[in-house]
Amino acid sequence: MASLIAHELEESVTDPDLNAWYDQRGNENADKCAWTFGAVYKTSNGAYANMLLGGKDYLIQRNWVNASGGYCAISY
Ligand SMILES: [Zn+2]
């Protein structure tokens, strides 16, 4: 759920009226990296996560970095 909220938040910032940033296929920035997480680790309950925020583990999708030819990343 946190990953989906992050996905939609990213797109609301870069394409709030559905006429701003998207690629030639109509994918917005978060769509280009949907369901990709980069390096993950296993938490104590067996779930996978890729970041620790406020002492809690989260599995948040990567986002499109529109630089250097473009790539998916957790940070820029
Ligand atoms: Zn999307």
Side-chain angles (χ1 to χ4, degrees):
M1 182 175 149
S3 187
L4 294 175
I5 291 169
H7 177 122
E8 297 305 334
L9 182 58
E10 291 163 6
E11 292 176 346
S12 330
V13 170
T14 57
D15 193 16
D17 297 323
L18 301 176
N19 61 3
W21 199 98
Y22 54 88
D23 70 9
Q24 70 277 10
R25 293 184 182 158
N27 289 318
E28 296 175 298
N29 60 342
D31 297 327
K32 294 179 73 67
C33 304
W35 306 109
T36 72
F37 303 98
V40 298
Y41 56 91
K42 200 176 223 180
T43 65
S44 59
N45 69 5
Y48 288 98
N50 64 351
M51 62 181 70
L52 183 68
L53 301 170
K56 305 242 185 237
D57 296 300
Y58 292 93
L59 184 63
I60 306 290
Q61 77 155 69
R62 299 184 299 175
N63 193 29
W64 184 251
V65 176
N66 200 31
S68 305
Y71 58 97
C72 296
I74 287 295
S75 63
Y76 174 67

